[in-house]
Amino acid sequence: MDVTPILESLNDAQRQAVTAPAQPMLVIAGAGSGKTRVLVHRAAWLIDVEGVSPQSLLAVTFTNKAAAEMRGRIESLLGMPVNHLWIGTFHGLAHRLLRRHWREAGLPLNFQIIDADDQLRLIKRLLKNLEIDDSRWVPREIQYFINAQKDEGLRPKHLDDDGDPNRRQMIALYKAYEEVCERGGLVDFAELLLRAHELWRDNAELLAHYQRRFSHLLIDEFQDTNAIQYAWLRLLAGKTVVPFAVGDDDQSIYRWRGARVEHIHQFQKDFPGTVVVKLEQNYRSTATILKAANALIANNHSRIGKNLWTDGVDGELIKVYAAYNERDEADFIVGRLRDWIDHGNLRADAAILYRSNAQSRVLEEGLMNAGIPYRVYGGLRFFERAEIKDALAYLRLVSNRDDDASFERIINRPTRGIGARTVESMRAYARANNCSLWRAAGAVANDELNARAANAVLSFLHLIEKMASDAADLDLSQQIDVAIHASDLINFFRKDKGEKGETRVENLLELVSAGKSFEPGLADEMSLVDEFLSHAALEAGEGQADAWEDCVQLMTMHSAKGLEFPLVFMSGMEDGLFPHQRSIADPSGLEEERRLCYVGITRTMQTLYITYAEQRRLHGMDKSSQPSRFIAEIPDEFVEEIRPRVQVSRRLLSPGRRATSKATEAELGIRLGQRVRHGKFGDGVILNCEGQGAHARVEVNFESAGTKWLVLSYANLDLM
Ligand code: ATP
Ligand code: MG
């Protein structure tokens, strides 16, 4: 049998893992050392050489994209399709099992999956039916509680209130929620995993069937499995199914979602005789990138410790750019991207990474202005995010009371006790009288509704009227600010525990920033708010590249896990942003942030830019910030500062030197970060200055012409 294609381009350690006899294996190795590659080749090896049937393999990966990629790679190694191979995410595989065995799982044939939003709505309805005060028992907290229990494999009956009345109530609500789901045949995400686990645990025959069917279990990104996922794997493995897990403790970044890196140790206890393979050669990155990443992660104390090396070239230094502000940062990135593309590279080979979602807005704007197609990966573009649309709907309704779509979107968001039936009666009235929902609401409240519903509706109408009358005296960003606060949207999301709620709050505040920096172009033809709203609508609908189009990849550091790109930008590298403010004081939180930074750096194959802004307008506030401590943890020898922070400019700006020539006047007015317009090159931002008088030169980053040095006295720059 010709096994060369499968063993081709594997090093000795990788080959050892791929061809190992059937025994529990754990491959613990650093980024880019070929773990995923080993997993793919192991599958192909088992099928092709060991004669294992594809349907005897079960492979678990972290995302659907990774699963599809893995299947494709196995098929191309084997030169044939492997349809019967089960490969997917934990949720996907659990779902598949439950569909097959709905009866044994105690579910109706047509059970429905509910997402996080559905789940929350359901909890709210439940509280209302039970007449429980939802300001005291916050729906999002209940949701968090329920999911956290399920992730640990716990049903209400397993929980003890420890004499704590709060906890007792939470458990009671969990129980009530469970009953509602049971009656409605509803299954939430956490339930998928828990049910699939119970299915096997409580049906010995079924478990035995799958243990006979599957002989090998392949798991990628093992460091990020949570308790119920691990329990599920362990149950299936039993004493006969051979587990093969690959992971990297240094890349454990989902602790906040219940992932437990300790499973790496647990695995070796649960499967005695586990062979641990270490891969130490990195094939992804240049030596410079790799050494920088190694130096950074060495600052973490709780790690297994690995030695990662490469025989590749040193490559380019890591370039650190100190931007004047967030716009300058975006301009800089866009400029470098343009060079990249002009040199014939693929846009898709470039990724811009950021710590938090809200950062994407300014970057998106820069890319859009420059006409560079991009895709926000693993998330929605800024103006398409639900909370942003909510806030905009308030502005829209203030601007136009007859905007029915906006009316419907926010009439009960945040919840104000206006139920589906009330809204239905408004719709009926609007249909019968051919009027907008706004007018219908007033009429229905006065004539048809009971006192409670009528009050809720009237106070909503009043809220909007009040926003409208206040708006006259406010500028755009203040109006946005009022919309998110007076509507109570911000508190509504603030109550949401965990990253998701926090992200939504950050996004809302970022919308205020967007209002502050919005530059109107059509002030004569429409109001500023209307122009801003059209801008938002257009941005939401367009610009996102088509699936097939070659485009720059934007994503959070979290969603970049497992991926690799020749060119990477890590943006917003400032203390407070990354590491995130909330983690700075907590040593283990800081270590998790550092692992995330390690993930970011090690996505890079060739060229890495790290950027930070000295001033940043984010979440509606202007802040000056310090470069991320992680930058200082990278040894100087691997770093090149792109903009030497010259002080000349400050001298240039000294007010003592008044003169009359146009150039010198301009000199006096110039500051770094200032926006200027040039007759030929268009708009740009001043990055740098040097020299004096007739010799004074400025470096300007033009939006479409790139970065240029210009002699001030000839350039005829208009200040903007
Ligand atoms: P991560 O920790 O980021 O998930 P990983 O350990 O899974 O990384 P892979 O993605 O499997 O690493 O491999 C990184 C890169 O190195 C890929 O482009 C892969 O094709 C390449 N690679 C791995 N092993 C070899 C090898 N022996 N020869 C050539 N290229 C290799
Ligand atoms: Mg991988």
Side-chain angles (χ1 to χ4, degrees):
M1 191 173 309
D2 181 15
V3 298
T4 32
I6 297 175
L7 297 181
E8 221 167 60
S9 44
L10 292 177
N11 63 32
D12 288 346
Q14 291 174 334
R15 195 168 299 165
Q16 185 206 335
V18 167
T19 61
Q23 63 201 353
M25 299 269 293
L26 190 56
V27 178
I28 293 301
S33 58
K35 295 182 297 296
T36 303
R37 187 183 180 95
V38 161
L39 212 65
V40 164
H41 286 245
R42 172 76 173 169
W45 172 266
L46 290 172
I47 294 169
D48 203 40
V49 179
E50 302 285 352
V52 174
S53 151
Q55 62 169 339
S56 300
L57 298 186
L58 180 72
V60 190
T61 65
F62 212 71
T63 59
N64 290 315
K65 182 177 184 323
E69 218 157 81
M70 190 179 275
R71 182 185 296 279
R73 290 214 250 156
I74 296 172
E75 290 180 345
S76 75
L77 271 177
L78 292 174
M80 62 172 195
V82 283
N83 298 330
H84 298 296
L85 170 71
W86 275 32
I87 180 165
T89 61
F90 281 105
H91 287 103
L93 293 168
H95 179 222
R96 188 164 176 173
L97 274 176
L98 295 177
R99 284 286 171 214
R100 288 199 164 188
H101 306 290
W102 51 275
R103 210 177 271 120
E104 295 92 327
L107 291 168
L109 169 65
N110 59 348
F111 71 86
Q112 300 287 312
I113 297 187
I114 56 172
D115 67 13
D117 284 344
D118 299 332
Q119 185 186 30
L120 187 65
R121 268 197 291 277
L122 200 148
I123 292 172
K124 287 177 185 162
R125 269 209 305 281
L126 177 72
L127 291 177
K128 194 178 286 170
N129 292 345
L130 296 173
E131 297 183 341
I132 290 174
D133 176 8
D134 69 359
S135 58
R136 165 123 171 65
W137 300 98
V138 180
R140 282 166 196 276
E141 287 173 8
I142 300 166
Q143 180 182 30
Y144 183 82
F145 176 84
I146 293 174
N147 291 342
Q149 304 312 316
K150 290 189 180 186
D151 283 344
E152 295 293 323
L154 301 170
R155 294 286 184 198
K157 62 172 184 250
H158 300 127
L159 299 173
D160 199 331
D161 63 24
D162 306 324
D164 172 353
N166 272 331
R167 191 170 156 82
R168 188 174 319 134
Q169 173 75 325
M170 279 297 199
I171 297 170
L173 288 170
Y174 179 12
K175 189 154 188 293
Y177 169 81
E178 216 177 26
E179 285 161 9
V180 174
C181 289
E182 198 77 28
R183 269 202 306 280
L186 304 175
V187 175
D188 62 48
F189 285 169
E191 181 75 19
L192 282 172
L193 301 175
L194 179 52
R195 249 319 139 148
H197 178 253
E198 291 170 345
L199 173 71
W200 280 346
R201 188 196 60 194
D202 302 339
N203 292 276
E205 261 173 49
L206 200 67
L207 176 62
H209 164 80
Y210 280 100
Q211 288 177 331
R212 274 193 307 274
R213 171 188 169 146
F214 294 122
S215 55
H216 292 267
L217 196 48
L218 306 170
I219 310 135
D220 200 359
E221 306 278 5
F222 180 64
Q223 76 279 1
D224 276 327
T225 47
N226 69 20
I228 192 73
Q229 291 166 339
Y230 182 72
W232 186 77
L233 291 173
R234 211 182 123 187
L235 197 56
L236 174 64
K239 293 205 176 344
T240 54
V241 186
V242 184
F244 186 109
V246 309
D248 178 5
D249 58 306
D250 287 332
Q251 296 185 69
S252 155
I253 53 175
Y254 283 97
R255 207 171 50 114
W256 52 278
R257 239 163 52 179
R260 289 290 167 261
V261 68
E262 295 78 16
H263 290 145
I264 291 179
H265 303 291
Q266 193 60 39
F267 186 97
Q268 298 173 66
K269 283 194 205 130
D270 289 342
F271 302 103
T274 293
V275 174
V276 179
V277 176
K278 293 200 170 186
L279 307 176
E280 304 198 315
Q281 183 170 3
N282 169 295
Y283 291 89
R284 174 180 295 150
S285 311
T286 62
T288 299
I289 301 286
L290 193 61
K291 287 184 202 157
N294 285 343
L296 173 98
I297 200 68
N299 290 291
N300 271 8
H301 298 295
S302 55
R303 33 188 320 245
I304 295 177
K306 293 183 288 291
N307 175 30
L308 206 55
W309 59 276
T310 173
D311 65 4
V313 295
D314 281 348
E316 302 164 42
L317 293 176
I318 296 173
K319 296 172 196 62
V320 174
Y321 179 69
Y324 175 75
N325 59 18
E326 78 283 355
R327 288 184 166 221
D328 177 28
E329 179 185 50
D331 285 346
F332 172 79
I333 293 175
V334 166
R336 297 297 145 140
L337 278 172
R338 191 173 285 112
D339 283 351
W340 173 258
I341 298 162
D342 288 350
H343 280 87
N345 296 297
L346 285 178
R347 299 183 195 112
D349 280 346
I352 310 178
L353 311 182
Y354 36 83
R355 173 67 182 85
S356 77
N357 258 307
Q359 283 167 257
S360 79
R361 186 188 62 82
V362 179
L363 297 165
E364 288 183 52
E365 207 168 271
L367 291 164
M368 198 141 3
N369 287 341
I372 299 178
Y374 67 93
R375 170 169 296 278
V376 178
Y377 183 92
L380 291 171
R381 288 150 37 98
F382 186 78
F383 283 108
E384 284 168 0
R385 295 174 188 152
E387 62 279 12
I388 297 302
K389 288 176 137 182
D390 292 341
L392 293 176
Y394 277 93
L395 293 176
R396 283 184 211 282
L397 197 59
V398 164
S399 164
N400 170 17
R401 303 293 190 289
D402 295 334
D403 181 342
D404 283 352
S406 296
F407 183 94
E408 286 225 30
R409 183 171 185 102
I410 56 175
I411 173 84
N412 200 33
R413 190 169 179 87
T415 21
R416 44 176 72 89
I418 300 176
R421 217 174 312 131
T422 305
V423 176
E424 190 39 57
S425 66
M426 294 175 200
R427 281 200 208 100
Y429 184 96
R431 270 196 304 271
N433 295 280
N434 199 18
C435 67
S436 66
L437 288 171
W438 175 268
R439 286 202 22 226
V444 170
N446 289 327
D447 303 340
E448 294 179 24
L449 299 178
N450 65 35
R452 209 162 133 229
N455 270 337
V457 170
L458 290 173
S459 66
F460 173 72
L461 301 183
H462 179 71
L463 172 74
I464 301 294
E465 291 292 5
K466 173 133 183 17
M467 281 184 185
S469 65
D470 289 350
D473 304 324
L474 301 176
D475 67 27
L476 176 59
S477 70
Q478 289 168 326
Q479 288 185 45
I480 298 172
D481 198 60
V482 167
I484 63 180
H485 284 100
S487 65
D488 215 30
L489 271 179
I490 197 129
N491 282 328
F492 175 67
F493 290 120
R494 207 163 255 149
K495 287 181 197 147
D496 193 352
K497 283 269 166 101
E499 284 253 332
K500 199 165 169 199
E502 202 168 303
T503 302
R504 296 196 147 154
V505 170
E506 287 175 358
N507 283 337
L508 284 177
L509 296 173
E510 181 59 17
L511 188 64
V512 180
S513 286
K516 266 192 204 155
S517 350
F518 181 64
E519 286 164 12
L522 305 163
D524 298 339
E525 287 136 73
M526 54 173 113
S527 81
L528 192 56
V529 174
D530 285 337
E531 189 179 346
F532 180 72
L533 290 171
S534 342
H535 160 82
L538 289 172
E539 285 222 356
E542 287 186 13
Q544 179 93 325
D546 291 321
W548 45 267
E549 195 176 357
D550 174 34
C551 54
V552 173
Q553 320 271 310
L554 267 68
M555 66 193 84
T556 62
M557 309 253 176
H558 276 103
S559 25
K561 195 166 77 149
L563 306 179
E564 58 189 22
F565 307 91
L567 172 63
V568 171
F569 296 88
M570 291 173 77
S571 65
M573 293 285 287
E574 294 133 41
D575 255 20
L577 202 53
F578 192 28
H580 201 283
Q581 193 60 43
R582 100 179 95 76
S583 314
I584 287 181
D586 157 30
S588 70
L590 189 61
E591 293 212 344
E592 175 137 324
E593 292 287 291
R594 192 176 283 112
R595 288 193 292 271
L596 188 57
C597 186
Y598 175 80
V599 168
I601 295 176
T602 55
R603 298 312 94 200
T604 315
M605 300 164 81
Q606 295 157 15
T607 310
L608 173 62
Y609 286 94
I610 290 179
T611 60
Y612 64 91
E614 293 169 350
Q615 304 269 335
R616 181 177 295 275
R617 176 174 287 181
L618 188 71
H619 314 151
M621 277 184 310
D622 286 311
K623 267 199 351 214
S624 46
S625 35
Q626 294 297 315
S628 167
R629 63 193 66 197
F630 297 148
I631 300 179
E633 292 178 6
I634 302 175
D636 288 347
E637 58 186 302
F638 306 126
V639 174
E640 170 191 358
E641 294 226 15
I642 291 205
R643 191 182 95 198
R645 323 262 285 300
V646 282
Q647 296 305 309
V648 192
S649 57
R650 326 263 168 198
R651 210 165 356 107
L652 195 80
L653 295 176
S654 70
R657 300 172 52 253
R658 284 230 168 266
T660 45
S661 86
K662 189 174 180 222
T664 325
E665 271 184 22
E667 262 177 44
L668 289 171
I670 277 171
R671 54 179 175 77
L672 298 191
Q674 168 125 38
R675 294 187 78 78
V676 293
R677 180 166 293 160
H678 182 272
K680 179 156 156 239
F681 300 128
D683 293 354
V685 172
I686 297 199
L687 300 184
N688 212 340
C689 313
E690 61 177 42
Q692 285 181 8
H695 300 292
R697 301 196 315 145
V698 289
E699 187 185 18
V700 182
N701 186 5
F702 290 104
E703 275 164 17
S704 46
T707 304
K708 306 225 177 293
W709 277 100
L710 302 170
V711 176
L712 257 188
S713 42
Y714 297 115
N716 269 325
L717 294 175
D718 285 330
L719 304 183
M720 298 170 66

